[in-house]
Amino acid sequence: MTEKTVLALYAIRRITMNPTKNIALLATLLCASLSLPALANTLEDIQKRGELRVATDMAIPPSGMLDASMKPVGSDVETAELLAKDWGLKLKFIETTGPTRIPNLQTGKADIVISTLSVTPQRAEVIDFTRAYAGLRSVIAAPAATKISDWNDLKGRAITVTRGTTQDSMLSKDAMKKGYTLQRYDDDATLVTAAVSGQAYAVATSATLVNQIKKQNPKLNFEPKMTLTVFDLAIGLQKNQPELKEKLNEWIETNIKNGKLNAIYEKYHGEPIPQEVLNR
């Protein structure tokens, strides 16, 4: 039943109870119902199109990246591929960066976001989230030889972050209070390059990305020094799409239970989905 129909039925019920008193109400409600735009149903649009458009950052290994033949690979990539396959849909990746994930969703370029999108109160004000399909351990990391045990060791230092990430927003609010500054890069690939080349004193990113930095420059031996938090990673979708959200949650629940999502995560991250996420 559409919102227009509900308004019309409500008005008719009120007027039949008291025709004289509520005749103006009927006119007002009917006019309002006729002027209301129809709310788009993303799930119906996806099914009619036969194609699922997923915003995924291809510069955040091992979640999203391009292999030697420029084919998308990674844990988020395989998650999206499994979803499209299970739903019998073609898959179209909308390449994005950290700062453009949510705008791509809000402008209708993408149907959903599967791109290490952690759940935060600020993001939840503008988009909806499914239940968690994976997790992200957020850390401060630095070369093994660098002494960092608490925030005092970071006073007067620059912490490298990727612009628009949760690490960026978390650390920005306490920078002046704790005496550090932030060095921002537009994507994770650039952050990794800065760390690998020795340009970053410390980085704030996921533990998984720290492992990538360590592999690319074993001499620096980047390692986690402090844990910031463990985030739920969820699928992002536009507000007011209850049918799509319910269907996505059912799919995630099924594939958490059958172990497929954990197998994808472990294949690329070298460890299971964090128990903190599964236990929430």
Side-chain angles (χ1 to χ4, degrees), residues 143 159-161 183-185 187-203 213 216-217 220 222:
I159 303 173
T160 300
V161 298
Q183 183 178 22
R184 295 180 175 87
Y185 289 102
D187 54 53
D188 284 339
T190 313
L191 178 145
V192 170
T193 299
V196 168
S197 62
Q199 297 177 52
Y201 177 80
V203 298
I213 295 171
Q216 292 190 39
N217 191 339
L220 287 178
F222 259 75

Side-chain angles (χ1 to χ4, degrees), residues 80-244:
E81 289 173 342
L82 179 63
L83 174 60
K85 179 182 177 182
D86 286 348
W87 284 9
L89 298 167
K90 293 180 181 178
L91 176 61
K92 180 179 181 180
F93 283 112
I94 306 299
E95 291 195 35
T96 187
T97 62
T100 62
R101 289 174 298 182
I102 291 176
N104 279 340
L105 184 63
Q106 292 177 312
T107 57
K109 291 182 180 178
D111 301 310
I112 59 175
V113 176
I114 303 179
S115 186
T116 61
L117 188 64
S118 51
V119 180
T120 67
Q122 295 79 11
R123 288 173 178 167
E125 290 179 2
V126 293
I127 64 170
D128 275 347
F129 290 97
T130 62
R131 62 154 294 177
Y133 69 91
L136 178 146
R137 193 177 301 279
S138 183
V139 300
I140 299 286
T146 304
K147 181 185 176 299
I148 299 176
S149 58
D150 56 36
W151 292 108
N152 287 327
D153 294 326
L154 288 164
K155 281 185 177 179
R157 298 291 187 174
I159 303 173
T160 300
V161 298
T162 300
R163 191 185 308 278
T165 59
T166 50
Q167 291 87 8
D168 185 3
S169 59
M170 283 180 66
L171 295 178
S172 293
K173 61 184 180 181
D174 287 334
M176 291 188 64
K177 177 182 175 182
K178 294 182 176 177
Y180 56 77
T181 58
L182 294 180
Q183 183 178 22
R184 295 180 175 87
Y185 289 102
D186 287 334
D187 54 53
D188 284 339
T190 313
L191 178 145
V192 170
T193 299
V196 168
S197 62
Q199 297 177 52
Y201 177 80
V203 298
T205 186
S206 69
T208 301
L209 204 60
V210 174
N211 290 333
Q212 297 297 313
I213 295 171
K214 183 177 180 178
K215 287 179 181 178
Q216 292 190 39
N217 191 339
K219 290 184 178 180
L220 287 178
N221 194 22
F222 259 75
E223 63 182 13
K225 300 290 186 177
M226 298 162 54
T227 296
L228 296 173
T229 189
V230 177
F231 287 106
D232 288 349
L233 296 183
I235 298 175
L237 65 157
Q238 288 185 347
K239 286 281 190 183
N240 302 314
Q241 297 295 330
E243 293 179 13
L244 178 58

